[in-house]
Amino acid sequence: MPEIVRADEWAPLVIRTDYTDDAAWGEIVVALARAVDGEREWEAAVHLVEDRRWEGVTGDEALAAAARDEELSVVFLADGVTMSSPLRPLLALDLGADDDEDLDPMYYQELIDSPPPREVRVVPDAVHMVHGNLQLANVDFSEFAEEAAADPDGVVREVTAASASSGSLPHPGP
């Protein structure tokens, strides 16, 4: 895989792996570029990788390539599901999942037997929130997986009223 060189650790990394629908990709790019609402608006910087050498790349292959960036906690793929679904949910892959590979079975057998989820679907409007919270270690990847499991479409969306009032899933601000 080509090397990924990012200039800004606060810019989510989105790799296009499906080239079947340029109009869908355009919608995703526009959604990712929108300024994020909050106490103040901030530029919604995103590191987009649009290179046909990535076409058809699997999640495992993308994880292996992205793992070279030690500051990266999550990578987002625009794959076939992303392009075909009206929600355009990107596949978020947890780069921290590999941290569990060398666990001692004497103490961590339950975690070894039931590893936490390492992927979840995220609508483009929630990519900055997911990325920022994982970069800041405010939220564990498994919490986003729980959020998606509770959603009727199985995706992470913007912060819901329930999660905002409970204090979980805070919105990052660089």
Side-chain angles (χ1 to χ4, degrees):
M1 300 283 45
E3 185 174 356
I4 301 167
V5 179
R6 296 180 318 132
D8 181 359
E9 72 179 284
W10 296 108
L13 174 61
V14 177
I15 302 172
R16 183 177 183 185
T17 64
D18 183 284
Y19 287 81
T20 59
D21 190 338
D22 288 338
W25 175 245
E27 291 173 23
I28 294 162
V29 170
V30 167
L32 291 169
R34 283 187 205 120
V36 179
D37 294 328
E39 291 180 23
R40 59 180 167 70
E41 286 196 6
W42 52 280
E43 183 181 336
V46 179
H47 184 94
L48 298 174
V49 175
E50 187 174 8
D51 180 335
R52 285 204 178 258
R53 294 181 290 177
W54 289 92
E55 188 170 11
V57 166
T58 66
D60 287 338
E61 292 168 332
L63 280 172
R68 297 179 205 145
D69 184 339
E70 294 178 8
E71 294 179 5
L72 190 62
S73 58
V74 63
V75 62
F76 299 90
L77 300 185
D79 61 2
V81 173
T82 305
M83 300 302 179
S84 63
S85 169
L87 292 174
R88 308 284 182 234
L90 296 152
L91 180 62
L93 300 169
D94 180 16
L95 282 145
D98 292 339
D99 295 343
D100 298 337
E101 287 181 354
D102 298 323
L103 294 176
D104 184 341
M106 176 175 266
Y107 301 104
Y108 298 103
Q109 191 61 49
E110 184 177 336
L111 186 58
I112 293 168
D113 292 341
S114 299
R118 68 174 242 191
E119 62 183 49
V120 67
R121 291 280 169 185
V122 178
V123 296
D125 288 341
V127 163
H128 293 284
M129 182 264 304
V130 169
H131 175 263
N133 278 293
L134 290 171
Q135 284 296 103
L136 293 169
N138 285 341
V139 179
D140 290 332
F141 195 87
S142 61
E143 292 177 70
F144 288 117
E146 289 172 17
E147 186 89 3
D151 182 85
D153 295 311
V155 299
V156 175
R157 301 173 188 265
E158 282 294 334
V159 178
T160 63
S163 61
S165 66
S166 70
S168 64
L169 303 180
H171 195 287

